[in-house]
Amino acid sequence: MAHFLSTCILILIASHLVDSSGVFELKVHSFTSPGGVCKNSQNCLIFFRVCLKHSQDVMSADPRCAYGSGRTANLSADPSAISNSAPIKVNFTFKWPARFSVMIEAWHADSSSEDQSNPISFLATKGGVTTGENSVQDERFGEKSELRYSYHVMCDEFYYGESCSDYCRPRNDTFGHYTCDSTGQRICLPGWKGEYCTDPICSPGCSEKNGDCKTPGECKCRLGWQGPLCNECQQHPGCVHGTCDQPFQCNCKEGWGGLYCNEDLNFCTNHKPCKNDATCTNTGQGSYTCTCKPGFSGTNCEIETNECNSNPCKNGGSCNDLVNDYSCTCPQGFYGKNCEVSAMTCADGPCFNSGTCVETETGSYSCRCPPGYMGSNCEKKIDRCSSDPCANGGQCLDLGHRVVCQCRPGFKGLRCEINIDECARNPCRNAGTCVDGINDYTCRCTLGFTGKDCNIRADACSFLPCKNGGTCYTHFSGPVCQCPPGFMGLRCEYDQLPTNPPAVSSFPIALAISFTLGLITLTLVLCATIILLKQMRRGNRSMFSAVRNDLDTINNRNSVISNTQSSYKEKEALLIPGGLFKVSNKDAELSSGIMDTLCKDNNKQKMLEYNLAKDEKNTKDKLDLKNSESSILVPPLSFPKGDLYHPVYIIPEPRVFATEV
């Protein structure tokens, strides 16, 4: 963004450097002529014209003014009017040259004649002046006139320098923050720097590498840096006991490890988890092990071992827990570490609570305790209720020979384990459903009834009143509201949105669709039927043709049937006599008309045999179709009796040809 702004500023400044701007001013102080400017000075009007050209040693006659021209208004020829006239201004938009030539002309301005001007005098001179200098005064004498004048060059606003080519306009916006001195140099406003005063000065001490600012006096940190001066790196997110030299690092401090420096490598020193003077050992990654002293246990050795839990004291001795030890306070007649040594006999009456003392072979004794007591001397009373045998909050009563449970209301049984079913007596009326509780019951009433036993009639609509003028009706499923027009909902509490009634079609769309689908289905069925019939007809023709071709092959028969004449021609058969040679028999094809005639005239089978004599010459006999219309035509062929081929039998009815070999 800063680069883009700098480019825009450079383009803007370059355009102003090209468009230099200023004004050349020439002031005429006096003008006289030996012969008088005008004969009648009161009614005479004149004006002065200035023409600026590039510097020339010899003024050319070119009337064009390269640097510009200007003139005064029409003036009276009176000297006071000339001296009080306004200066002639020639604006220029180019770099002002150090040297130039100027031509000053005096003209008559007669408003009464058509030619409103005619020359009085011409003066030409070379000069040089830079911007900012004082006015240059000069006096010129011509052949007919005397002229006193002065001139100077002034730059337009925001233009500076000897040639008015330095542009500087004070501004305080996105493109710069500066003012201009007398020479056109930019002076940055407080808090800004740079060639065009577009770079803000950040707060003192702000890191130029890690920080930045958009307005003077601030310090905004780049990603990964923090602090008032942006000189502190940000640690990796989640880093616990670590530092960083570059952004998003997590360099663990001494005694810590892991990706986020959250694993205590010296847990024992930092936390001292082991109690009771136990020895702590670091096992790495935040874990440790405590070695407990005798008499203590637990993860941190925080549990003191009670040696009395094992009941080491015998014969009714009392155990006293010590640190890693115990002591027994023995009853009278016993001694030893565990009071295991007896110094009493039955004569001393050691048994309590009517216990029976029995002498042992070792000289000691034992006590047989009555029911309800225990211990080596029957000194302990057995509490049968300590095991809490009664269920459901029943109270236990130890009667000595047995235990009795006094049950809470709603329970029964030896141990109060049975919940009394209050629904057994069917307390709910009017088809209500009973739900058993503890020493109580609840009735779920049907519609229209209420009360503890569902014996009170209730109005269902009172529980669900209808809103917005709806009418309530009692239904077997509950109260139902009939809403008035414009309302809806279970209780008629919602406004019904207006809906446009659907347009009723004159012809049912469903019927039109069904009719169209029926026509399409019928068309497809007809097409399939036609295609199937054509295929069946083609199959029959091909089968009949195949049978005829097979018969022609068996009988070596070839014929040509003419559709127009319904006749046939017979080819002559060639017989090669003598020996076992292959004979080609060409039988005439039987037309359907001839076969029908044979069937009508003669139903018997006929056999035609034609034999040729061995000495008979090779001649060809042709059949006359006209003379034998009702007979079977066979070529005049005969076979020797000893040859391989035999006569041909023709069976007209089934129309099957067979050759006997």
Side-chain angles (χ1 to χ4, degrees):
M1 185 65 183
H3 178 70
F4 174 74
L5 293 177
S6 301
T7 305
C8 293
I9 293 172
L10 290 174
I11 295 174
L12 184 63
I13 296 299
S15 64
H16 284 293
L17 287 176
V18 174
D19 297 336
S20 300
S21 180
V23 61
F24 172 84
E25 291 187 358
L26 187 142
K27 169 66 175 167
V28 178
H29 297 286
S30 65
F31 177 72
T32 59
S33 178
V37 177
C38 296
K39 295 180 180 180
N40 186 3
S41 60
Q42 294 180 354
N43 298 326
C44 180
L45 297 177
I46 64 172
F47 67 87
F48 297 93
R49 179 177 178 270
V50 174
C51 178
L52 290 176
K53 298 183 177 182
H54 57 278
S55 180
Q56 297 177 347
D57 293 335
V58 178
M59 296 293 291
S60 64
D62 188 0
R64 291 176 298 177
C65 303
Y67 292 163
S69 62
R71 56 163 286 178
T72 64
N74 295 336
L75 305 173
S76 174
D78 184 71
S80 61
I82 295 175
S83 61
N84 294 328
S85 62
I88 301 172
K89 295 183 179 182
V90 180
N91 296 318
F92 60 88
T93 58
F94 51 86
K95 187 176 180 180
W96 178 253
R99 303 291 298 175
F100 60 91
S101 296
V102 60
M103 180 179 293
I104 305 173
E105 305 170 353
W107 294 78
H108 282 289
D110 188 0
S111 58
S112 61
S113 62
E114 296 180 0
D115 186 7
Q116 296 184 358
S117 63
N118 48 63
I120 300 174
S121 66
F122 295 91
L123 295 176
T125 183
K126 292 191 301 181
V129 65
T130 58
T131 60
E133 293 183 359
N134 295 327
S135 298
V136 177
Q137 296 186 359
D138 196 3
E139 185 176 355
R140 292 294 173 180
F141 299 94
E143 296 179 356
K144 299 180 180 180
S145 61
E146 177 183 349
L147 177 67
R148 287 192 312 109
Y149 61 93
S150 64
Y151 59 87
H152 68 279
V153 177
M154 296 177 59
C155 295
D156 287 344
E157 186 180 12
F158 307 136
Y159 289 89
Y160 301 87
E162 295 182 353
S163 58
C164 299
S165 58
D166 298 333
Y167 179 81
C168 181
R169 180 172 68 88
R171 65 192 317 151
N172 187 14
D173 53 21
T174 306
F175 298 101
H177 307 272
Y178 56 85
T179 59
C180 303
D181 60 7
S182 59
T183 61
Q185 298 296 320
R186 286 179 290 273
I187 301 175
C188 294
L189 297 177
W192 299 93
K193 63 180 180 178
E195 183 179 0
Y196 298 101
C197 305
T198 55
D199 301 328
I201 299 175
C202 300
S203 61
C206 182
S207 176
E208 295 183 359
K209 180 180 179 182
N210 306 326
D212 194 5
C213 60
K214 295 183 178 179
T215 58
E218 68 177 1
C219 185
K220 291 187 177 180
C221 300
R222 303 183 192 277
L223 182 64
W225 295 94
Q226 61 184 357
L229 303 179
C230 301
N231 55 358
E232 301 174 7
C233 60
Q234 289 183 352
Q235 298 178 1
H236 190 283
C239 186
V240 181
H241 300 282
T243 59
C244 64
D245 297 326
Q246 295 295 327
F248 306 115
Q249 288 182 342
C250 189
N251 302 325
C252 298
K253 297 179 181 179
E254 184 179 359
W256 297 93
L259 180 62
Y260 300 108
C261 301
N262 56 347
E263 298 177 358
D264 195 349
L265 304 181
N266 195 8
F267 197 89
C268 292
T269 303
N270 296 330
H271 299 278
K272 296 180 174 58
C274 299
K275 308 299 181 182
N276 299 311
D277 296 331
T279 302
C280 183
T281 303
N282 291 310
T283 56
Q285 297 183 353
S287 60
Y288 62 94
T289 301
C290 292
T291 304
C292 302
K293 287 186 175 183
F296 297 94
S297 63
T299 304
N300 297 327
C301 303
E302 73 281 7
I303 302 174
E304 182 181 357
T305 303
N306 189 355
E307 287 78 9
C308 292
N309 289 336
S310 60
N311 296 321
C313 299
K314 307 297 182 182
N315 299 311
S318 299
C319 183
N320 301 315
D321 185 32
L322 303 175
V323 177
N324 195 29
D325 198 3
Y326 67 95
S327 65
C328 291
T329 303
C330 301
Q332 185 178 1
F334 294 94
Y335 62 92
K337 175 67 176 175
N338 297 324
C339 303
E340 73 277 10
V341 181
S342 175
M344 298 180 65
T345 62
C346 287
D348 297 327
C351 298
F352 300 99
N353 297 312
S354 302
T356 304
C357 183
V358 179
E359 297 284 348
T360 61
E361 296 179 357
T362 59
S364 182
Y365 70 94
S366 65
C367 293
R368 295 178 181 176
C369 301
Y373 295 92
M374 61 179 296
S376 58
N377 294 327
C378 302
E379 74 279 7
K380 296 180 181 180
K381 184 178 181 180
I382 300 174
D383 186 8
R384 293 185 178 90
C385 290
S386 60
S387 61
D388 195 13
C390 300
N392 297 311
Q395 183 179 1
C396 178
L397 300 177
D398 188 359
L399 301 180
H401 59 283
R402 64 189 182 94
V403 175
V404 177
C405 290
Q406 186 176 358
C407 302
R408 291 171 52 200
F411 295 96
K412 66 179 181 178
L414 294 178
R415 296 290 182 265
C416 303
E417 72 277 10
I418 301 174
N419 181 16
I420 299 175
D421 186 10
E422 285 77 12
C423 292
R425 57 185 179 87
N426 297 322
C428 299
R429 307 301 178 189
N430 299 310
T433 302
C434 182
V435 179
D436 183 34
I438 298 175
N439 196 30
D440 196 7
Y441 63 92
T442 303
C443 289
R444 296 178 180 176
C445 303
T446 57
L447 184 64
F449 295 94
T450 184
K452 176 66 176 178
D453 299 331
C454 303
N455 55 352
I456 301 174
R457 283 189 172 274
D459 184 10
C461 290
S462 62
F463 298 101
L464 189 67
C466 300
K467 296 183 178 181
N468 297 313
T471 304
C472 180
Y473 294 96
T474 302
H475 191 261
F476 69 90
S477 60
V480 178
C481 291
Q482 182 178 2
C483 300
F487 297 95
M488 60 182 295
L490 183 63
R491 302 175 60 188
C492 305
E493 68 271 24
Y494 301 114
D495 294 334
Q496 186 176 8
L497 298 177
T499 57
N500 295 326
V504 180
S505 177
S506 59
F507 187 77
I509 299 177
L511 182 60
I513 295 175
S514 301
F515 183 73
T516 303
L517 292 177
L519 288 178
I520 294 173
T521 304
L522 181 60
T523 303
L524 292 176
V525 171
L526 290 176
C527 292
T529 305
I530 293 172
I531 293 173
L532 182 61
L533 291 175
K534 288 184 177 181
Q535 292 293 336
M536 293 176 62
R537 189 173 298 175
R538 289 178 182 175
N540 293 335
R541 289 179 181 177
S542 60
M543 184 180 297
F544 180 74
S545 177
V547 172
R548 294 185 64 182
N549 291 337
D550 292 341
L551 292 176
D552 291 342
T553 303
I554 293 173
N555 295 288
N556 296 322
R557 194 165 55 86
N558 187 13
S559 62
V560 178
I561 299 174
S562 176
N563 295 326
T564 59
Q565 298 178 359
S566 299
S567 62
Y568 68 90
K569 294 182 180 181
E570 178 188 22
K571 291 186 178 180
E572 296 178 356
L574 177 62
L575 178 61
I576 303 177
L580 297 175
F581 294 98
K582 181 178 180 181
V583 180
S584 176
N585 294 330
K586 303 292 184 175
D587 295 341
E589 182 178 356
L590 300 177
S591 63
S592 60
I594 297 175
M595 296 300 295
D596 294 339
T597 305
L598 289 175
C599 293
K600 293 178 180 180
D601 297 341
N602 191 7
N603 294 327
K604 295 181 179 181
Q605 296 183 357
K606 294 181 180 181
M607 181 183 67
L608 301 178
E609 180 179 357
Y610 297 91
N611 296 321
L612 298 176
K614 292 183 179 181
D615 56 344
E616 187 179 0
K617 296 181 180 180
N618 296 330
T619 58
K620 296 181 179 180
D621 296 335
K622 297 182 179 179
L623 298 177
D624 190 0
L625 295 176
K626 297 179 180 180
N627 298 328
S628 57
E629 294 180 355
S630 62
S631 62
I632 299 176
L633 301 179
V634 180
L637 300 176
S638 64
F639 303 92
K641 293 181 178 180
D643 289 342
L644 179 63
Y645 297 95
H646 288 271
V648 177
Y649 294 91
I650 301 175
I651 303 172
E653 278 189 5
R655 298 183 182 179
V656 177
F657 303 119
T659 301
E660 182 180 353
V661 181

